[in-house]
Amino acid sequence: MAMSISRRDLLFASGMSLLTSLRPFRPGAAPPPQQPQTPTTPQARLLAALQGNRLPLTMTDGPAGPGWDWLVQQARDARFTLIGEEHGVAETAQLAGALFNTLRGSGYSRMAIELSPIIAQDIEAAGRRYGLQGILDFFAVPTTWSPMYLREEAQFLAAVIGAAPRNERVLWGFDREIFTDRYLIAKLEAKVPARAGASFTRLKEASTNSAPFLFTQDPALVSAVRADWPNPDRDSDMILRTLEESLAINAVARTGTAWDSSDRRARWMRNCLAERLREERGSPPKVLMKFGYNHMIRGANYVNIFDLGAMTDEVAALGGARAFHILVLPGPGSRQAVLGPGRSFGSVSSDEFDEFRAGDQRLTRVLPNANATGHEVIDLRALRPLAMRGLESWNPDVVRTIHGYDAAVMWKGAHASSA
């Protein structure tokens, strides 16, 4: 049965509460103290608990405060910690870098990011050689580009790489590619065997002559190269599979539905995680992940796909461990970077940004505390008994979030990342 609360219902409840609280009293006697109003509907009780269940977090010289201490304590005990973000917020990149460095002493040794496997590997190589400037120079290469190529993201990656031993690969990439085909194909050219020469030439010409290649061409172009090159080295195999799967994900978007494309992308990301875990099964690492919040939620995500976040809980449970999921969103007065024309970025008010077109029901409107004096951390687990069956008809995203994330970080007055 659908549940709703209106202004009239609230006024009526308020009036009844006032009438029932009145008692006869003698002239001159002090009136009885007013009793606090108890929320009368399931959604009102949930919202009241949501507003009160918060810890402060400061970011003046890096994260600090009771909210930060609680996040670190919870993450230390988990096998996986997942940061689900609204992209383009500078403070989120700073939080992630500080969290990884803090958790190194608790066994965290891998950082998974929303880039393809080879691009993550090459960014790490650039960072190890030349630090932050090496990563920024890599971002500037004309044949490689991602929506993640922002200055604060580069600083975050430099901090992660700098915290890891030089002989240890720390970055894991789990995503497809969208604009980096020419860069990846160029890395193959010197290794292509003679028998794959003709099919590789067709692939290279298609990439050169059709833009955007990964959104318009058929994955059969790459499949033909793979058929002619049966035993490539590890990196070449990963490049070919990344190109093939990126083309397939986008082909499904053209011929099927957005759900089909998102589901295929999620399966590719889960497969990438499974490969990395198989490679390190002898000494399973603890992993911090930072992806868009639709990918990091436990269970089915906001478009009903079992994404990367759903897999981590199952993997952790096999070893008697758990995953800790953190939602990080810009709250009141915040700004975030969004894609502009070409490869540019623009800064927009987070109060007006509505990716899922949920209006006033969107998470960035419902979760923040309008009276907050600073950043806040919410323990969402304490709210689960109140996020009961039936409330999905009121706000399905809020109910899904409370059960799919363990904590939420709400920024107040956060800054847009810079290009």
Side-chain angles (χ1 to χ4, degrees):
M1 179 177 177
M3 297 184 181
S4 62
I5 186 164
S6 67
R7 175 181 170 86
R8 185 180 64 182
D9 294 334
L10 281 174
L11 291 173
F12 178 78
S14 301
M16 290 301 297
S17 176
L18 178 61
L19 287 172
T20 56
S21 68
L22 293 177
R23 298 288 186 272
F25 61 97
R26 298 185 307 276
Q34 275 202 325
Q35 299 298 315
Q37 186 178 359
T38 301
T40 57
T41 64
Q43 58 264 44
R45 288 193 291 271
L46 175 59
L47 286 173
L50 176 64
Q51 293 305 315
N53 192 40
R54 295 163 187 262
L55 293 169
L57 167 70
T58 62
M59 292 291 291
T60 305
D61 296 309
W68 168 251
D69 294 340
W70 180 78
L71 288 173
V72 171
Q73 177 188 7
Q74 297 299 319
R76 277 177 175 154
D77 297 333
R79 165 77 192 281
F80 299 96
T81 293
L82 295 80
I83 296 174
E85 66 172 335
E86 179 77 87
H87 293 307
V89 179
E91 282 80 356
T92 304
Q94 295 160 9
L95 179 82
L99 188 58
F100 183 80
N101 289 351
T102 302
L103 295 176
R104 284 286 303 177
S106 302
Y108 280 78
S109 60
R110 302 292 181 268
M111 182 78 220
I113 54 177
E114 201 168 337
L115 293 170
S116 72
I118 290 295
I119 294 300
Q121 180 177 301
D122 286 2
I123 286 174
E124 180 169 352
R128 292 202 180 279
R129 286 194 299 269
Y130 304 112
L132 173 60
Q133 190 57 51
I135 297 173
L136 292 171
D137 290 344
F138 185 89
F139 284 4
V141 172
T143 54
T144 175
W145 186 81
S146 162
M148 307 303 294
Y149 285 7
L150 295 158
R151 174 169 289 275
E152 287 77 10
E153 297 298 324
Q155 293 168 340
F156 148 67
L157 294 171
V160 168
I161 295 166
R166 295 194 65 84
N167 62 344
E168 182 179 294
R169 179 173 293 172
V170 63
L171 291 184
W172 283 357
F174 291 163
D175 207 0
R176 61 175 174 175
E177 273 305 326
I178 51 177
F179 296 119
T180 309
D181 49 286
R182 294 183 187 180
Y183 174 85
L184 295 177
I185 290 170
K187 288 177 69 72
L188 294 173
E189 192 154 16
K191 301 179 181 180
V192 176
R195 62 181 293 181
S199 55
F200 177 78
T201 298
R202 289 192 294 271
L203 171 64
K204 183 180 177 182
E205 288 176 348
S207 172
T208 302
N209 299 326
S210 56
F213 169 76
L214 290 171
F215 286 90
T216 60
Q217 297 302 301
D218 195 307
L221 284 164
V222 184
S223 303
V225 179
R226 292 188 66 197
D228 293 339
W229 192 355
N231 297 299
D233 61 276
R234 177 189 178 278
D235 285 2
S236 298
D237 178 61
M238 180 55 72
I239 289 172
L240 288 168
R241 289 191 293 117
T242 298
L243 289 169
E244 184 178 46
E245 191 59 32
S246 299
L247 286 164
I249 291 166
N250 292 325
V252 170
R254 293 195 307 273
T255 60
T257 67
W259 187 93
D260 293 321
S261 177
S262 296
D263 181 60
R264 180 146 191 164
R265 182 184 177 194
R267 283 186 278 130
W268 165 250
M269 296 166 87
R270 295 198 305 265
N271 287 340
C272 288
L273 171 59
E275 284 188 25
R276 300 292 81 74
L277 294 175
R278 282 194 295 268
E279 288 177 349
E280 304 198 28
R281 64 170 60 129
S283 180
K286 296 178 79 170
V287 185
L288 181 63
M289 300 183 178
K290 177 178 171 291
F291 288 71
Y293 69 91
N294 198 37
H295 301 299
M296 293 285 92
I297 193 169
R298 175 188 296 110
N301 67 14
Y302 298 98
V303 292
N304 294 316
I305 290 168
F306 288 92
D307 215 308
L308 192 57
M311 180 176 173
T312 58
D313 291 87
E314 304 304 322
V315 172
L318 290 173
R322 66 181 178 88
F324 181 54
H325 300 246
I326 308 171
L327 174 67
V328 186
L329 293 177
S334 296
R335 298 189 70 83
Q336 62 195 86
V338 298
L339 290 175
R343 298 186 176 192
S344 67
F345 294 91
S347 170
V348 301
S349 168
S350 300
D351 297 331
E352 304 304 322
F353 188 76
D354 187 8
E355 182 179 10
F356 290 118
R357 299 178 182 176
D360 287 338
Q361 296 286 78
R362 60 187 182 269
L363 298 177
T364 51
R365 289 281 175 90
V366 179
L367 296 184
N369 177 1
N371 299 318
T373 57
H375 314 309
E376 294 184 320
V377 177
I378 310 170
D379 180 0
L380 295 173
R381 298 173 303 180
L383 304 175
R384 287 173 186 164
L386 297 173
M388 60 183 65
R389 180 178 175 84
L391 279 178
E392 296 90 346
S393 61
W394 162 66
N395 193 321
D397 287 350
V398 168
V399 174
R400 195 183 299 258
T401 296
I402 289 171
H403 290 285
Y405 279 100
D406 302 302
V409 174
M410 301 304 304
W411 300 126
K412 183 178 177 68
H415 302 84
S417 298
S418 51

